[in-house]
Amino acid sequence: MRRLALFLAIFSAFSFAHAQRHESLLELRDRVFELARVQAVYMDSLLPEGSYPRTFQGDTLVTSDIGWWCSGFYPGVLWTIYDHTKDKGIREMAVRWTRPMKALLEMPTDHDIGFQLMSSYGYWDCCVKKGPESPEEIAEIERVLQTGAQKLADRFVPSAGVIRSWNFGDWNIPVIIDNMMNLELLMEYGDEKVAEIHALTTLKNHFRPDGTTWHLVDYADDGSVLGKQTVQGFSDDSAWARGQAWALYGYAMMGFWSMSSDDLYIETARKLARWIIDNLPEDGIPYWDFSQTDYKDASAAAIIAAGLLRLWEVRDEDTVNPTGLDDLLLPTAERILRTLASPEYLAEPRTNGGFLLKHGVGNLPSGSEIDVPLTYADYYFLEALMLLPND
Ligand code: GLY
């Protein structure tokens, strides 16, 4: 009996590996999106009204209200599935989960209003072109995004040249590297100048000589640096994996939007991309901190894949490629996506609380969300698949 079980395990691993070798990346994308549609509908059936998915622990779907920084990612997952499949039922669900996010405009928020609104209302705005929305509704979507962008810009401290990240803690003006992701809301719907100043200050103070980044920099009112440390990484001097992922994606994104400092941003992202590629494990999935070897973090992997693909988008095809980095961007993204789309990471239909990916790490030092699904892992996984070149 034990021999039969061993034979079946080896046989199914072999069949999967065999099937994968013959699956093109675009076939893989279709397979994942078909599963994503099933999972998203299943998750909708599990969610209490007004509660947004956060993770799945034990047998429990853990939810949050709109105020949690991840609230926009489930609507964003729905918009991404609609974008790929054009399924009208999914579109209706996306609208239904996006509309309540407007309440953020009346609530106390922090820098994460960028994440919250861009993945929900921002994606809706991208999808209105051929949609059924009235001109009034389209104007309302724009208003929400512009008002949200103003809320983010109001957090800017001109004397320090940064947007304040958090509202809690004993820091003076804390800025975490994650904040780079929130700048897209400003670049598209708000004060680009504020975003550029923040990105340039961060570039000056957050990065180490090897290209990696600290998690948190605390500023005095005059912009001098009071301290550099980690909160979610292993140690102040280690490279927290999701922090590196946010920085990579954030500077590639700024390279796309900026009219003036694009080269500087792209160079920063390229240097970090090279470090990440050189330090990724064989399967492409980093541990939650690059100095550790216990828990893998699928969320960092998904964001890195999306970041590498955004960097691929802004590469300069006319210049030489002296370090050979351009030749590594697509193959590394592919390596990551193939592992995430394997049974080790991808959920079976109607399991995992409706999440797609397993094995994410939220905040290990505070003992929260270790080896679990995470909404942002799913969102950036799907986004990376959408960013794949179509040929
Ligand atoms: N922005 C929070 C995190 O990455 O955990």
Side-chain angles (χ1 to χ4, degrees), residues 282-302:
E282 184 94 15
D283 64 359
I285 314 300
Y287 292 91
W288 66 280
D289 187 290
F290 277 94
S291 68
Q292 300 300 295
T293 53
D294 45 7
Y295 295 102
K296 296 276 194 160
D297 181 12
S299 77

Side-chain angles (χ1 to χ4, degrees), residues 196-212:
E196 297 258 10
I197 297 171
H198 180 95
L200 291 170
T201 311
T202 300
L203 201 154
K204 190 166 89 191
N205 295 320
H206 253 87
F207 286 86
R208 305 182 178 116
D210 66 359
T212 63

Side-chain angles (χ1 to χ4, degrees), residues 38-49 61 74 93 96-97 350 353-354:
V38 172
Q39 291 296 81
V41 172
Y42 174 56
M43 184 177 265
D44 182 61
S45 76
L46 299 179
L47 283 169
E49 200 174 323
L61 180 60
Y74 178 55
M93 280 170 58
R96 173 158 54 81
W97 283 99
R350 298 178 66 81

Side-chain angles (χ1 to χ4, degrees), residues 113-391:
I113 192 162
F115 275 119
Q116 291 161 306
L117 287 185
M118 280 304 279
S119 49
S120 56
Y121 268 90
Y123 217 134
W124 189 2
D125 193 35
C126 293
C127 292
V128 291
K129 281 175 204 81
K130 290 190 205 130
E133 287 81 3
S134 65
E136 292 73 31
E137 184 140 45
I138 293 173
E140 177 62 2
I141 294 167
E142 289 278 320
R143 186 193 71 82
V144 171
L145 288 160
Q146 286 164 3
T147 312
Q150 189 53 51
K151 274 195 106 178
L152 180 57
D154 289 346
R155 302 182 65 78
F156 184 59
V157 185
S159 58
V162 288
I163 296 167
R164 181 190 302 274
S165 293
W166 291 333
N167 301 333
F168 62 87
D170 292 333
W171 301 282
N172 188 51
I173 306 171
V175 176
I176 55 170
I177 191 64
D178 324 26
N179 203 339
M180 286 302 303
M181 300 296 288
N182 294 311
L183 302 184
E184 199 160 18
L185 179 64
L186 288 173
M187 294 306 280
E188 216 177 335
Y189 300 100
D191 190 337
E192 292 169 37
K193 192 93 190 83
V194 163
E196 297 258 10
I197 297 171
H198 180 95
L200 291 170
T201 311
T202 300
L203 201 154
K204 190 166 89 191
N205 295 320
H206 253 87
F207 286 86
R208 305 182 178 116
D210 66 359
T212 63
T213 148
W214 275 279
H215 182 198
L216 183 149
V217 175
D218 188 20
Y219 290 91
D221 295 351
D222 67 0
S224 52
V225 172
L226 296 173
K228 301 183 182 194
Q229 64 169 102
T230 197
V231 178
Q232 285 169 248
F234 177 73
S235 72
D236 292 345
D237 296 325
S238 68
W240 174 47
R242 198 164 53 255
Q244 310 316 304
W246 292 141
L248 166 68
Y249 186 115
Y251 278 94
M253 175 276 291
M254 286 300 290
F256 173 81
W257 285 107
S258 174
M259 302 296 275
S260 53
S261 303
D262 48 340
D263 286 350
L264 206 52
Y265 299 144
I266 291 168
E267 261 328 292
T268 304
R270 287 174 70 84
K271 187 168 176 190
L272 178 53
R274 166 59 81 168
W275 188 93
I276 291 172
I277 291 170
D278 288 347
N279 286 278
L280 277 179
E282 184 94 15
D283 64 359
I285 314 300
Y287 292 91
W288 66 280
D289 187 290
F290 277 94
S291 68
Q292 300 300 295
T293 53
D294 45 7
Y295 295 102
K296 296 276 194 160
D297 181 12
S299 77
I303 300 156
I304 289 170
L308 293 174
L309 290 163
R310 289 206 71 158
L311 197 49
W312 170 255
E313 258 181 2
V314 295
R315 78 194 178 286
D316 185 348
E317 288 174 82
D318 300 330
T319 58
V320 276
N321 171 23
T323 61
L325 179 68
D326 288 348
D327 301 333
L328 297 175
L329 296 175
L330 287 184
T332 308
E334 171 169 354
R335 183 153 56 101
I336 295 171
L337 294 173
R338 284 197 183 277
T339 306
L340 291 179
S342 75
E344 171 73 15
Y345 283 90
L346 200 62
E348 290 292 319
R350 298 178 66 81
T351 66
N352 208 33
F355 290 93
L356 268 179
L357 291 174
K358 303 175 270 186
H359 307 309
V361 174
N363 188 343
L364 190 139
S366 68
S368 161
E369 299 174 340
I370 301 166
D371 197 16
V372 292
L374 295 163
T375 38
Y376 41 100
D378 287 5
Y379 176 78
Y380 287 100
F381 179 41
L382 295 180
E383 180 179 312
L385 291 169
M386 292 297 278
L387 288 168
L388 284 172
N390 275 320
D391 44 32

